Coordinates of all heavy atoms in Angstrom, one line a residue:
G55 N 19.3 8.3 0.6 CA 18.5 8.7 1.8 C 19.3 8.6 3.1 O 18.7 8.2 4.2
G56 N 20.6 8.8 3.0 CA 21.4 8.8 4.2 C 21.9 7.4 4.6 O 22.7 7.3 5.6
R57 N 21.6 6.4 3.9 CA 22.1 5.0 4.3 C 22.7 4.3 3.0 O 22.3 4.6 1.9 CB 21.0 4.2 4.9 CG 19.9 3.8 4.0 CD 18.8 3.1 4.8 NE 17.7 2.7 4.0 CZ 17.5 1.5 3.4 NH1 18.4 0.6 3.6 NH2 16.4 1.2 2.7
T58 N 23.7 3.5 3.3 CA 24.4 2.8 2.2 C 23.6 1.6 1.8 O 23.1 0.8 2.6 CB 25.8 2.3 2.7 OG1 26.6 3.5 3.0 CG2 26.5 1.5 1.6
I59 N 23.3 1.5 0.5 CA 22.6 0.3 -0.1 C 23.5 -0.4 -1.0 O 24.1 0.1 -1.9 CB 21.3 0.8 -0.8 CG1 20.3 1.4 0.2 CG2 20.7 -0.4 -1.6 CD1 19.1 1.9 -0.5
N60 N 23.7 -1.7 -0.7 CA 24.5 -2.6 -1.6 C 23.5 -3.2 -2.6 O 22.4 -3.7 -2.3 CB 25.2 -3.7 -0.8 CG 26.2 -3.1 0.2 OD1 27.0 -2.3 -0.2 ND2 26.1 -3.5 1.4
Y61 N 24.0 -3.2 -3.9 CA 23.1 -3.7 -4.9 C 23.9 -4.3 -6.1 O 25.2 -4.2 -6.1 CB 22.2 -2.6 -5.5 CG 22.9 -1.5 -6.1 CD1 23.2 -1.4 -7.5 CD2 23.4 -0.4 -5.3 CE1 23.9 -0.4 -8.1 CE2 24.1 0.7 -5.9 CZ 24.3 0.7 -7.3 OH 25.0 1.7 -7.8
T62 N 23.2 -5.0 -7.0 CA 23.9 -5.6 -8.2 C 23.4 -4.8 -9.4 O 22.2 -4.6 -9.6 CB 23.5 -7.1 -8.3 OG1 23.9 -7.8 -7.2 CG2 24.2 -7.7 -9.6
A63 N 24.4 -4.4 -10.2 CA 24.1 -3.7 -11.5 C 24.3 -4.7 -12.6 O 25.3 -5.3 -12.7 CB 25.0 -2.5 -11.7
T64 N 23.3 -4.9 -13.4 CA 23.3 -5.8 -14.5 C 23.0 -5.2 -15.8 O 22.0 -4.4 -15.9 CB 22.3 -7.0 -14.3 OG1 22.6 -7.6 -13.1 CG2 22.4 -8.0 -15.4
V65 N 23.8 -5.4 -16.8 CA 23.5 -5.0 -18.2 C 23.2 -6.3 -19.0 O 24.1 -7.2 -19.0 CB 24.6 -4.2 -18.9 CG1 24.2 -3.9 -20.3 CG2 24.9 -2.9 -18.1
G66 N 22.0 -6.4 -19.6 CA 21.7 -7.7 -20.2 C 20.8 -7.4 -21.4 O 20.5 -6.3 -21.8
T67 N 20.4 -8.5 -22.1 CA 19.6 -8.5 -23.3 C 18.4 -9.4 -23.2 O 18.5 -10.5 -22.7 CB 20.5 -9.0 -24.5 OG1 21.7 -8.2 -24.5 CG2 19.8 -8.8 -25.8
I68 N 17.3 -8.9 -23.8 CA 16.1 -9.7 -24.0 C 15.9 -9.8 -25.5 O 15.9 -8.8 -26.2 CB 14.8 -9.0 -23.4 CG1 15.0 -8.8 -21.9 CG2 13.6 -9.8 -23.7 CD1 14.9 -10.1 -21.1
V69 N 15.8 -11.1 -25.9 CA 15.6 -11.3 -27.4 C 14.2 -11.1 -27.8 O 13.3 -11.4 -27.0 CB 16.0 -12.8 -27.7 CG1 15.6 -13.2 -29.1 CG2 17.5 -13.0 -27.5
V70 N 14.0 -10.5 -28.9 CA 12.7 -10.2 -29.5 C 12.5 -11.2 -30.7 O 13.3 -11.3 -31.6 CB 12.5 -8.8 -30.0 CG1 11.2 -8.5 -30.5 CG2 12.8 -7.8 -28.8
R71 N 11.3 -11.9 -30.7 CA 11.0 -12.8 -31.7 C 9.7 -12.5 -32.4 O 8.8 -11.9 -31.7 CB 11.0 -14.3 -31.2 CG 12.3 -14.7 -30.6 CD 12.3 -16.2 -30.1 NE 13.5 -16.5 -29.4 CZ 14.7 -16.9 -30.0 NH1 14.7 -17.0 -31.3 NH2 15.7 -17.2 -29.2
D72 N 9.5 -12.9 -33.6 CA 8.3 -12.7 -34.3 C 7.3 -13.8 -34.0 O 7.6 -14.7 -33.2 CB 8.5 -12.5 -35.8 CG 9.0 -13.7 -36.5 OD1 9.0 -14.8 -35.9 OD2 9.5 -13.5 -37.7
A73 N 6.2 -13.8 -34.6 CA 5.1 -14.8 -34.3 C 5.6 -16.2 -34.7 O 5.1 -17.2 -34.1 CB 3.8 -14.5 -35.0
E74 N 6.6 -16.4 -35.6 CA 7.1 -17.7 -36.0 C 8.3 -18.1 -35.1 O 8.9 -19.1 -35.4 CB 7.4 -17.7 -37.5 CG 6.3 -17.7 -38.4 CD 5.5 -16.4 -38.5 OE1 6.2 -15.3 -38.6 OE2 4.3 -16.4 -38.4
G75 N 8.7 -17.2 -34.2 CA 9.8 -17.6 -33.3 C 11.1 -17.1 -33.9 O 12.2 -17.4 -33.3
K76 N 11.2 -16.4 -35.0 CA 12.4 -15.9 -35.6 C 12.9 -14.7 -34.7 O 12.2 -13.8 -34.4 CB 12.2 -15.5 -37.0 CG 13.5 -14.9 -37.7 CD 13.1 -14.4 -39.1 CE 14.3 -13.7 -39.7 NZ 14.0 -13.1 -41.0
K77 N 14.2 -14.8 -34.5 CA 14.9 -13.7 -33.7 C 15.0 -12.4 -34.6 O 15.6 -12.4 -35.6 CB 16.2 -14.1 -33.3 CG 17.0 -13.1 -32.4 CD 18.3 -13.7 -31.9 CE 19.2 -12.8 -31.2 NZ 20.5 -13.4 -30.7
I78 N 14.3 -11.4 -34.2 CA 14.3 -10.1 -35.0 C 14.8 -8.9 -34.3 O 15.0 -7.9 -34.9 CB 12.8 -9.8 -35.5 CG1 11.9 -9.6 -34.3 CG2 12.3 -10.9 -36.4 CD1 10.5 -9.1 -34.7
G79 N 15.2 -9.0 -33.0 CA 15.7 -7.9 -32.3 C 16.3 -8.3 -31.0 O 16.1 -9.4 -30.5
E80 N 17.0 -7.3 -30.4 CA 17.6 -7.5 -29.1 C 17.5 -6.2 -28.3 O 17.9 -5.1 -28.8 CB 19.1 -7.8 -29.2 CG 19.4 -9.2 -29.9 CD 20.8 -9.4 -30.4 OE1 21.3 -8.4 -31.0 OE2 21.4 -10.4 -30.1
V81 N 16.8 -6.3 -27.2 CA 16.6 -5.1 -26.3 C 17.5 -5.2 -25.1 O 17.6 -6.2 -24.4 CB 15.1 -5.1 -25.8 CG1 14.9 -4.1 -24.7 CG2 14.2 -4.8 -27.0
V82 N 18.3 -4.2 -24.9 CA 19.3 -4.1 -23.8 C 18.7 -3.4 -22.7 O 18.0 -2.3 -22.8 CB 20.6 -3.4 -24.3 CG1 21.6 -3.3 -23.2 CG2 21.2 -4.2 -25.5
Y83 N 18.9 -3.9 -21.5 CA 18.4 -3.3 -20.3 C 19.5 -3.1 -19.3 O 20.5 -3.7 -19.3 CB 17.2 -4.1 -19.7 CG 17.7 -5.5 -19.2 CD1 18.2 -5.6 -17.9 CD2 17.6 -6.6 -20.0 CE1 18.7 -6.9 -17.4 CE2 18.1 -7.8 -19.5 CZ 18.6 -8.0 -18.3 OH 19.0 -9.2 -17.8
T84 N 19.3 -2.2 -18.3 CA 20.1 -2.0 -17.2 C 19.3 -2.2 -15.9 O 18.3 -1.5 -15.7 CB 20.8 -0.6 -17.1 OG1 21.5 -0.4 -18.4 CG2 21.8 -0.5 -16.0
A85 N 19.7 -3.2 -15.1 CA 18.9 -3.5 -13.9 C 19.7 -3.2 -12.6 O 20.9 -3.5 -12.6 CB 18.4 -4.9 -13.9
Y86 N 19.1 -2.7 -11.6 CA 19.7 -2.6 -10.3 C 18.8 -3.3 -9.3 O 17.6 -3.0 -9.1 CB 19.7 -1.1 -9.9 CG 20.5 -0.2 -10.9 CD1 19.7 0.6 -11.7 CD2 21.8 -0.3 -11.0 CE1 20.4 1.4 -12.7 CE2 22.5 0.5 -12.0 CZ 21.8 1.4 -12.8 OH 22.4 2.2 -13.7
T87 N 19.4 -4.4 -8.7 CA 18.6 -5.2 -7.8 C 19.4 -5.4 -6.5 O 20.6 -5.5 -6.5 CB 18.4 -6.6 -8.4 OG1 19.7 -7.2 -8.8 CG2 17.5 -6.5 -9.7
V88 N 18.6 -5.4 -5.4 CA 19.2 -5.6 -4.1 C 19.3 -7.1 -3.7 O 18.2 -7.7 -3.8 CB 18.4 -4.8 -3.0 CG1 18.9 -5.1 -1.6 CG2 18.4 -3.3 -3.3
P89 N 20.4 -7.6 -3.5 CA 20.6 -9.1 -3.2 C 19.7 -9.5 -2.1 O 19.5 -8.8 -1.1 CB 22.0 -9.2 -2.9 CG 22.7 -8.1 -3.6 CD 21.8 -7.0 -3.5
G90 N 19.1 -10.7 -2.3 CA 18.2 -11.2 -1.2 C 16.8 -10.7 -1.2 O 16.0 -11.0 -0.4
G91 N 16.5 -9.7 -2.1 CA 15.2 -9.1 -2.1 C 14.3 -9.6 -3.3 O 13.8 -8.8 -4.0
G92 N 14.2 -10.9 -3.4 CA 13.5 -11.6 -4.5 C 12.1 -11.2 -4.6 O 11.5 -11.3 -5.7
E93 N 11.4 -10.7 -3.5 CA 10.1 -10.3 -3.6 C 9.9 -8.8 -3.4 O 8.8 -8.3 -3.1 CB 9.2 -11.1 -2.6 CG 9.1 -12.6 -3.0 CD 8.2 -13.3 -2.1 OE1 7.3 -12.7 -1.5 OE2 8.3 -14.6 -2.0
R94 N 11.0 -8.1 -3.5 CA 10.9 -6.6 -3.5 C 10.1 -6.1 -4.7 O 10.0 -6.8 -5.7 CB 12.3 -6.0 -3.6 CG 13.2 -6.1 -2.4 CD 14.5 -5.3 -2.7 NE 14.4 -3.9 -2.2 CZ 14.9 -2.9 -2.8 NH1 15.5 -3.0 -4.0 NH2 14.7 -1.7 -2.3
P95 N 9.5 -4.9 -4.6 CA 8.9 -4.4 -5.8 C 9.9 -4.2 -6.9 O 11.1 -4.0 -6.6 CB 8.4 -3.0 -5.3 CG 8.3 -3.1 -3.8 CD 9.4 -4.1 -3.4
V96 N 9.5 -4.3 -8.2 CA 10.4 -4.0 -9.3 C 9.7 -3.0 -10.2 O 8.5 -3.1 -10.5 CB 10.7 -5.3 -10.0 CG1 9.5 -6.1 -10.5 CG2 11.7 -5.0 -11.2
T97 N 10.4 -2.0 -10.7 CA 9.9 -1.0 -11.5 C 10.6 -1.0 -12.8 O 11.8 -1.0 -12.9 CB 10.1 0.4 -10.8 OG1 9.4 0.4 -9.5 CG2 9.5 1.5 -11.7
F98 N 9.8 -1.0 -13.9 CA 10.3 -0.9 -15.3 C 10.2 0.5 -15.8 O 9.1 1.1 -15.8 CB 9.5 -1.9 -16.1 CG 9.6 -3.3 -15.7 CD1 8.7 -3.9 -14.8 CD2 10.7 -4.1 -16.1 CE1 8.9 -5.2 -14.3 CE2 10.8 -5.4 -15.7 CZ 9.9 -6.0 -14.8
A99 N 11.3 1.1 -16.3 CA 11.3 2.5 -16.6 C 11.6 2.7 -18.1 O 12.5 2.0 -18.6 CB 12.3 3.2 -15.8
F100 N 10.9 3.6 -18.7 CA 11.0 3.9 -20.1 C 11.1 5.4 -20.3 O 10.3 6.1 -19.7 CB 9.8 3.4 -21.0 CG 9.5 1.9 -20.8 CD1 8.8 1.4 -19.8 CD2 10.1 1.0 -21.8 CE1 8.5 0.1 -19.7 CE2 9.8 -0.3 -21.7 CZ 9.0 -0.8 -20.6
N101 N 12.0 5.9 -21.1 CA 11.9 7.3 -21.6 C 11.1 7.4 -22.8 O 10.4 6.4 -23.2 CB 13.3 7.8 -21.7 CG 13.8 8.5 -20.4 OD1 14.6 7.8 -19.7 ND2 13.4 9.7 -20.2
G102 N 11.2 8.5 -23.5 CA 10.3 8.7 -24.6 C 10.9 9.0 -26.0 O 11.7 8.2 -26.5
G103 N 10.7 10.2 -26.5 CA 11.2 10.6 -27.8 C 10.1 10.8 -28.8 O 9.5 11.9 -28.9
P104 N 9.7 9.7 -29.5 CA 10.3 8.4 -29.6 C 11.7 8.5 -30.1 O 12.0 9.4 -30.9 CB 9.4 7.6 -30.6 CG 8.1 8.4 -30.6 CD 8.5 9.8 -30.4
G105 N 12.6 7.6 -29.6 CA 14.0 7.7 -30.0 C 14.9 7.9 -28.8 O 16.1 8.1 -29.1
A106 N 14.4 8.0 -27.6 CA 15.3 8.3 -26.4 C 15.5 7.0 -25.7 O 14.6 6.2 -25.5 CB 14.6 9.3 -25.5
S107 N 16.7 6.8 -25.3 CA 17.0 5.7 -24.4 C 16.6 6.0 -23.0 O 16.1 7.1 -22.7 CB 18.6 5.4 -24.4 OG 19.2 6.4 -23.6
S108 N 16.8 5.0 -22.1 CA 16.3 5.2 -20.7 C 17.3 5.9 -19.8 O 17.2 6.0 -18.6 CB 15.9 3.9 -20.1 OG 17.1 3.0 -20.1
V109 N 18.4 6.5 -20.4 CA 19.5 7.0 -19.6 C 19.0 8.2 -18.8 O 19.6 8.4 -17.7 CB 20.6 7.5 -20.6 CG1 20.2 8.6 -21.5 CG2 21.9 7.8 -19.7
Y110 N 18.0 8.9 -19.2 CA 17.6 10.2 -18.5 C 16.9 9.8 -17.1 O 17.2 10.4 -16.1 CB 16.7 11.0 -19.4 CG 17.4 11.2 -20.7 CD1 17.0 10.5 -21.8 CD2 18.5 12.0 -20.8 CE1 17.6 10.6 -23.0 CE2 19.2 12.2 -22.0 CZ 18.7 11.4 -23.1 OH 19.4 11.5 -24.3
L111 N 16.0 8.9 -17.1 CA 15.5 8.4 -15.9 C 16.5 7.7 -15.0 O 16.5 7.8 -13.8 CB 14.3 7.5 -16.1 CG 13.0 8.1 -16.6 CD1 11.9 7.1 -16.9 CD2 12.4 9.1 -15.5
N112 N 17.4 7.0 -15.7 CA 18.4 6.2 -15.0 C 19.4 7.1 -14.3 O 19.6 7.0 -13.1 CB 19.1 5.3 -16.0 CG 20.1 4.3 -15.4 OD1 20.4 4.4 -14.2 ND2 20.6 3.4 -16.2
L113 N 20.1 7.9 -15.1 CA 21.2 8.7 -14.5 C 20.8 10.1 -14.2 O 21.7 10.9 -13.8 CB 22.4 8.8 -15.6 CG 23.0 7.4 -16.0 CD1 24.2 7.7 -16.8 CD2 23.3 6.6 -14.8
G114 N 19.5 10.4 -14.2 CA 19.1 11.7 -13.8 C 18.0 11.7 -12.7 O 18.0 12.6 -11.8
A115 N 17.1 10.7 -12.7 CA 16.0 10.7 -11.8 C 16.0 9.7 -10.7 O 16.2 10.1 -9.5 CB 14.7 10.5 -12.7
V116 N 16.0 8.4 -11.0 CA 15.7 7.4 -9.9 C 16.8 6.4 -9.8 O 16.7 5.5 -8.9 CB 14.3 6.8 -10.1 CG1 13.2 7.8 -10.0 CG2 14.2 6.0 -11.4
G117 N 17.7 6.3 -10.7 CA 18.8 5.3 -10.6 C 19.7 5.6 -9.4 O 19.7 6.7 -8.9
P118 N 20.6 4.7 -9.0 CA 21.4 4.9 -7.8 C 22.6 5.8 -8.1 O 23.2 6.3 -7.1 CB 21.9 3.5 -7.5 CG 21.8 2.7 -8.8 CD 20.6 3.3 -9.5
K119 N 22.9 6.1 -9.3 CA 24.0 7.1 -9.7 C 23.4 8.1 -10.6 O 22.4 7.9 -11.3 CB 25.1 6.4 -10.4 CG 25.7 5.2 -9.6 CD 26.5 5.7 -8.4 CE 27.2 4.4 -7.7 NZ 28.0 4.8 -6.6
R120 N 24.0 9.3 -10.6 CA 23.5 10.4 -11.5 C 24.6 11.2 -12.0 O 25.7 11.3 -11.4 CB 22.4 11.2 -10.9 CG 22.9 12.1 -9.7 CD 21.8 12.9 -9.2 NE 22.2 13.9 -8.1 CZ 21.4 14.6 -7.4 NH1 20.1 14.5 -7.6 NH2 21.8 15.4 -6.5
V121 N 24.4 11.9 -13.2 CA 25.3 12.8 -13.7 C 24.6 14.1 -13.9 O 23.4 14.1 -14.3 CB 25.9 12.3 -15.1 CG1 24.8 12.1 -16.1 CG2 27.0 13.2 -15.6
P122 N 25.2 15.3 -13.7 CA 24.5 16.6 -13.8 C 24.1 16.8 -15.3 O 24.9 16.7 -16.2 CB 25.5 17.6 -13.3 CG 26.5 16.8 -12.5 CD 26.6 15.5 -13.1
F123 N 22.9 17.2 -15.5 CA 22.4 17.7 -16.9 C 21.1 18.3 -16.7 O 20.3 18.0 -15.8 CB 22.3 16.5 -17.9 CG 21.3 15.5 -17.6 CD1 20.0 15.7 -18.1 CD2 21.5 14.3 -16.9 CE1 19.0 14.7 -17.8 CE2 20.5 13.4 -16.6 CZ 19.3 13.6 -17.1

Side-chain angles (χ1 to χ4, degrees):
R57 65 187 180 94
T58 299
I59 295 180
N60 298 309
Y61 61 94
T62 301
T64 301
V65 178
T67 305
I68 299 289
V69 171
V70 181
R71 300 183 187 277
D72 64 14
E74 285 72 47
K76 178 184 176 183
K77 182 177 176 179
I78 61 172
E80 295 166 311
V81 170
V82 179
Y83 65 86
T84 304
Y86 305 106
T87 55
V88 175
E93 294 187 21
R94 292 187 87 218
V96 57
T97 300
F98 298 91
F100 304 85
N101 271 97
S107 76
S108 61
V109 66
Y110 310 102
L111 286 175
N112 184 352
L113 300 187
V116 300
K119 305 287 184 178
R120 69 180 182 185
V121 64
F123 68 87

